[in-house]
Amino acid sequence: MAHLLIIRFSAIGDVAMTVPVIDSLARQYPDDCFTVVSQSSLAPLYAYCLDNVNFIGVNLKTDYKGMAGMYRLYRELSVQKIDAFADLHDVLRTKLLRILFRLSRARVRHIDKGRKEKRQLTRKKDKVLHQLKPSTERYADVFRALGKPVDVAFHSLFSTSQEIPAKIIDITGDKRGKWIGIAPFAKHQWKTYPLEKTEELIAYFTSQEDIEIFLFGGSGKEQELLENWSTKYPHVTSIAGRLLMGEELVLMSHLDVMFSMDSANMHLASLTATPVVSVWGATHPYAGFYGYGQQIENAVQIDLSCRPCSVYGNKPCYRKDTACLMDLSPQKVIDQIEKVIAGNKKTGV
């Protein structure tokens, strides 16, 4: 029996993409123990894993701040017998942990992020446009290097259809028609579909009596906007601030389709085997961050010579017009959502 320690602190989408790999490892190596260390708030992502997967939540801003905090984390983790250390993050904090665990004679491997390939993909001139290795495969490569070959074979967090808890039913009501999730926000504006265009989608679908729309987002201004939309349009309900992450995942598993940006909600819905129609602006699925198990035709995007201009969507549009998003018509998105709904076999509960 081997004990593998796995580190991936952030971001939500990146941590979500570790789940298919770790779940597959746990099933293929049932005699081994896998301990995952990540943000405390992300514990629901691992709640449905097998018993040989343990989750340790940390708060890097308070309890484990800075290099001193990393050393304290190492001391606490090293009390357990760690045979191998998988660094799925490769940042300064985790590099320090790698050194410490190597000194304690654990086998240590870290992710190859393919930075050179990603620079070639996103440079202004002479882009090298081709599909890069998905993040899930980059994670899997770390375990292969540790002597744990893994076949990533994952379908959903939920092995069976989850009954909708009363708390969620109180918000959504019983499912009778089709349910669409809409997550209109992303961390950076250069991968966020213009909100007025997203509102056009909502106005279109709310004209159909058999469709209910659920809006996903964060607190503050996001929550305020979503609540305004839910008041303005029939058959629209804002979920923001009303459900915990684990409850949101259950709700996502009952959606017929999720519409999102290249963002955390795309990855969360992907973990529930729900089809996601996603908008791509400054970023591109080629970079390897597409939702696990999603069909590439559900990535709605415009082919422009300047795309992609960024791996993470954090660089301002050098054209100054954000044509990749502004020129993407709501009708193109609507057509893809309707295509997915027509082919989705989910039924009411």
Side-chain angles (χ1 to χ4, degrees):
M1 175 177 178
H3 186 180
L4 280 73
L5 179 66
I6 304 163
I7 300 282
R8 176 75 216 201
F9 291 132
S10 64
I12 296 175
D14 294 303
V15 176
M17 285 187 285
T18 69
V19 174
V21 182
I22 294 169
D23 180 84
S24 300
L25 277 165
R27 295 179 187 280
Q28 292 166 36
Y29 298 93
D31 294 331
D32 290 340
C33 177
F34 302 92
T35 296
V36 181
V37 181
S38 189
Q39 300 178 64
S40 299
S41 61
L42 301 183
L45 296 179
Y46 303 93
Y48 299 94
C49 287
L50 298 183
D51 291 341
N52 59 336
V53 177
N54 304 311
F55 179 83
I56 297 177
V58 297
N59 188 326
L60 300 180
K61 294 181 179 180
T62 55
D63 301 335
Y64 302 99
K65 186 177 180 179
M67 294 300 103
M70 284 300 97
Y71 182 69
R72 185 165 71 255
L73 179 59
Y74 162 73
R75 292 286 299 273
E76 293 176 7
L77 293 172
S78 61
V79 171
Q80 309 175 54
K81 184 182 182 302
I82 303 298
D83 298 295
F85 174 56
D87 177 4
L88 305 185
H89 205 163
D90 191 30
V91 292
L92 186 59
R93 288 187 180 100
T94 61
K95 288 177 181 179
L96 174 59
L97 290 174
R98 289 206 313 253
I99 293 172
L100 294 171
F101 277 103
R102 189 175 286 114
L103 290 173
S104 69
R105 300 186 181 278
R107 295 190 65 196
V108 175
R109 295 292 186 274
H110 67 278
I111 187 173
D112 174 5
K113 292 185 174 180
R115 291 184 174 93
K116 181 179 179 180
E117 298 172 286
K118 290 171 182 174
R119 287 195 297 269
Q120 293 172 340
L121 176 68
T122 57
R123 62 194 181 191
K124 283 187 179 181
K125 296 182 179 180
D126 302 318
K127 296 179 186 293
V128 181
L129 293 170
H130 66 97
Q131 181 63 58
L132 303 185
K133 184 178 291 188
S135 290
T136 48
E137 279 300 303
R138 293 188 185 277
Y139 293 150
D141 283 345
V142 178
F143 298 103
R144 292 165 185 149
L146 287 170
K148 297 293 178 182
V150 56
D151 175 21
V152 183
F154 174 86
H155 177 64
S156 172
L157 288 175
F158 309 117
S159 57
T160 59
S161 179
Q162 293 292 297
E163 182 178 348
I164 306 180
K167 177 181 177 181
I168 299 178
I169 290 291
D170 287 344
I171 297 172
T172 64
D174 293 325
K175 184 174 184 181
R176 294 187 174 85
K178 299 294 186 180
W179 283 7
I180 299 177
I182 294 182
F185 304 107
K187 184 176 181 180
H188 303 292
Q189 69 181 84
W190 297 283
K191 53 181 190 174
T192 303
Y193 197 46
L195 293 174
E196 62 272 18
K197 293 179 181 289
T198 297
E199 187 171 359
E200 288 185 49
L201 305 180
I202 294 172
Y204 173 83
F205 284 110
T206 57
S207 66
Q208 303 178 37
E209 290 294 328
D210 64 336
I211 287 180
E212 294 286 336
I213 294 177
F214 301 100
L215 306 176
F216 294 79
S219 58
K221 291 183 178 180
E222 290 187 11
Q223 184 173 348
E224 182 180 346
L225 175 63
L226 299 184
E227 289 175 352
N228 286 340
W229 280 348
S230 67
T231 301
K232 183 176 180 180
Y233 294 99
H235 314 297
V236 176
T237 302
S238 173
I239 301 301
R242 304 176 72 179
L243 296 176
L244 301 175
M245 177 184 283
E247 295 164 335
E248 287 192 349
L249 288 166
V250 172
L251 174 55
M252 287 179 185
S253 73
H254 288 274
L255 299 176
D256 292 276
V257 61
M258 169 70 89
F259 169 67
S260 81
M261 309 300 104
D262 167 20
S263 66
N265 280 302
M266 173 184 67
H267 295 290
L268 296 179
S270 296
L271 293 182
T272 70
T274 291
V276 179
V277 172
S278 52
V279 161
W280 295 76
T283 58
H284 198 290
Y286 278 172
F289 299 115
Y290 197 43
Y292 178 82
Q294 295 298 328
Q295 300 297 314
I296 192 60
E297 58 266 25
N298 289 336
V300 185
Q301 52 192 329
I302 300 175
D303 290 330
L304 297 172
S305 60
C306 57
R307 288 190 62 239
C309 62
S310 172
V311 174
Y312 305 110
N314 56 342
K315 297 179 180 179
C317 174
Y318 62 81
R319 287 176 38 151
K320 310 298 184 185
D321 61 357
T322 322
C324 55
L325 294 168
M326 296 302 298
D327 292 350
L328 181 60
S329 72
Q331 189 60 53
K332 186 172 183 178
V333 179
I334 288 170
D335 289 345
Q336 195 59 38
I337 292 175
E338 289 188 323
K339 183 178 179 181
V340 171
I341 289 176
N344 200 324
K345 304 301 182 184
K346 290 186 179 181
T347 57
V349 176

